């Protein structure tokens, strides 16, 4: 029967060498479980069991190490173990053990993730759901937890909060129509529905500042005129300038009023 001729510690693992040239890298748990020591002899079937348990123990330790830094989903832990070349059979056993001991808990993970996003007021339900699915959370579970923890009123509150931040920052000098479009686009990109975005915008009770919009239009008009007057004139120039200003978010009535003052 094969005999252990060398047992040497190598960082986190132990190197076990048999006299038939077989070498195993095992954890301390494996040594304790199988009473491994220099000079001990084992049958081939026993050595196979030692190797299987060593893979399981090493993989479990890797999983616990990975989870120690932050909460992880089942999918993330599986991917980590695959990347570290743990055999599939042992991965299944490891995941079962970690789930039984609640080190892996996708239900708790989903709840914690959603609560964090709601608390930080940083994302809407659709974006949160997609992020959870990307991390390996079952779509049905993600939807269930969102319905429990992210109700209609909460969505409106957070969407309104994000809209207010936009108004106070870089979009504060936009014409009203463009401002509303920017807010709606931003909120939908953050994962809110169009209906929630409309309610949030309505909650802001935005009003047009005619003096500000006239000033903004004049600045845009000067730039657009310089650009298009090199190639176009007459009605064609007027139409192109009007369309360009409309794309910037200015109202057609305001545009037409300003353009009447210009000789094309």
């Amino acid at each position: 029967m094969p005999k252990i001729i060398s047992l040497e510690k190598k960082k986190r693992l132990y190197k076990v060498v048999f006299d038939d040239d077989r070498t195993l890298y095992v954890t301390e748990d494996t040594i304790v479980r199988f009473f491994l020591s220099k000079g001990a002899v084992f049958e081939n079937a026993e050595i196979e069991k030692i190797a299987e348990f060593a893979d399981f123990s090493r993989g479990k330790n890797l999983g616990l190490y990975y989870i120690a830094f932050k909460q992880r989903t089942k999918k993330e832990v599986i991917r980590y173990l695959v990347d570290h070349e743990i055999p599939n059979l042992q991965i299944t056993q490891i995941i079962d053990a970690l789930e039984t001991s609640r080190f892996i808990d996708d239900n708790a993970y989903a709840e914690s993730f959603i609560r964090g996003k709601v608390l930080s007021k940083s994302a809407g339900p659709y974006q949160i759901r997609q992020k959870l699915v990307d991390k390996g959370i079952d779509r049905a579970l993600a939807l269930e937890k969102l319905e429990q923890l992210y109700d209609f009123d909460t969505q409106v509150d957070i969407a309104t909060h994000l809209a207010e931040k936009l108004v106070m920052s870089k979009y504060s000098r936009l014409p009203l129509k463009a401002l509303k479009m920017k807010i709606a686009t931003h909120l939908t990109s953050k994962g809110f529905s169009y209906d929630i975005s409309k309610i949030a915008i309505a909650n802001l009770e935005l009003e047009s500042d005619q003096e500000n919009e006239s000033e903004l239009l004049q600045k845009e008009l000067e730039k657009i005129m310089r650009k298009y007057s090199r190639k176009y004139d007459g009605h064609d120039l007027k139409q192109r300038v009007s369309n360009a200003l409309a794309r910037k978010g200015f109202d057609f009535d305001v545009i037409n009023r300003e353009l009447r003052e210009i000789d094309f």
Side-chain angles (χ1 to χ4, degrees), residues 27-264:
T27 61
E28 189 170 332
D29 288 345
T30 310
I31 291 174
V32 172
R33 183 184 182 91
F34 292 94
F35 303 103
L36 304 184
S37 62
K38 187 175 180 180
V41 295
F42 297 90
E43 294 181 355
N44 288 326
E46 291 179 302
I47 295 175
E48 289 178 6
K49 289 181 180 179
I50 292 170
E52 287 180 5
F53 183 82
D55 284 334
F56 168 80
S57 181
R58 182 170 72 89
K60 186 178 179 182
N61 287 347
L62 280 170
L64 290 170
Y65 172 79
Y66 186 52
I67 294 167
F69 291 101
K70 59 181 289 189
Q71 196 174 14
R72 310 282 186 177
T73 66
K74 176 179 176 179
K75 181 180 178 180
E76 288 176 322
V77 177
I78 290 174
R79 187 186 301 123
Y80 184 78
L81 295 176
V82 169
D83 289 344
H84 284 76
E85 300 180 346
I86 301 300
N88 289 335
L89 175 62
Q90 277 68 44
I91 288 177
T92 301
Q93 296 171 345
I94 291 162
I95 296 300
D96 286 345
L98 293 177
E99 285 186 314
T100 299
S101 57
R102 304 294 293 276
F103 284 111
I104 295 176
D105 188 338
D106 280 0
N107 187 75
Y109 182 99
E111 288 188 4
S112 176
F113 188 88
I114 294 169
R115 291 185 192 280
K117 292 297 182 182
V118 170
L119 187 62
S120 65
K121 296 186 175 183
S122 59
Y126 296 116
Q127 186 183 86
I128 293 172
R129 183 187 67 189
Q130 190 55 52
K131 287 186 176 181
L132 285 171
V133 171
D134 290 344
K135 289 176 176 291
I137 298 296
D138 180 75
R139 186 177 294 272
L141 175 61
L143 286 171
E144 177 190 338
K145 293 303 174 184
L146 280 166
E147 288 175 0
Q148 293 175 3
L149 303 170
Y150 206 163
D151 60 22
F152 179 86
D153 290 339
T154 303
Q155 290 184 50
V156 171
D157 176 63
I158 294 175
T160 304
H161 168 75
L162 291 173
E164 288 173 342
K165 287 179 64 178
L166 287 175
V167 172
M168 291 186 293
S169 61
K170 59 183 178 180
Y171 297 140
S172 60
R173 293 282 292 169
L174 290 172
L176 182 61
K177 182 180 177 181
L179 175 59
K180 289 182 176 181
M181 289 173 60
K182 287 285 188 182
I183 293 172
T185 299
H186 180 76
L187 291 178
T188 53
S189 74
K190 281 287 187 179
F192 293 96
S193 70
Y194 176 71
D195 289 339
I196 293 293
S197 299
K198 280 181 62 178
I199 295 171
I201 292 169
N203 285 344
L204 299 181
E205 298 181 349
L206 299 171
E207 294 181 358
S208 175
D209 183 336
Q210 293 185 357
E211 183 178 345
N212 178 52
E213 292 211 12
S214 179
E215 181 183 334
L216 291 171
L217 189 145
Q218 286 297 329
K219 290 181 179 179
E220 289 295 335
L221 179 58
E222 290 175 10
K223 290 190 291 185
I224 292 169
M225 283 291 291
R226 284 197 299 270
K227 177 180 178 181
Y228 286 115
S229 60
R230 298 168 188 167
K231 296 183 179 180
Y232 311 101
D233 57 19
H235 179 73
D236 192 15
L237 173 60
K238 182 177 181 180
Q239 193 63 44
R240 289 178 184 276
V241 170
S242 177
N243 290 339
L245 288 170
R247 288 194 295 272
K248 292 286 186 179
F250 293 100
D251 187 80
F252 271 114
D253 290 339
V254 178
I255 294 170
N256 290 332
R257 184 174 66 244
E258 294 293 333
L259 295 186
R260 279 198 296 268
E261 305 297 323
I262 300 175
D263 183 11
F264 287 93

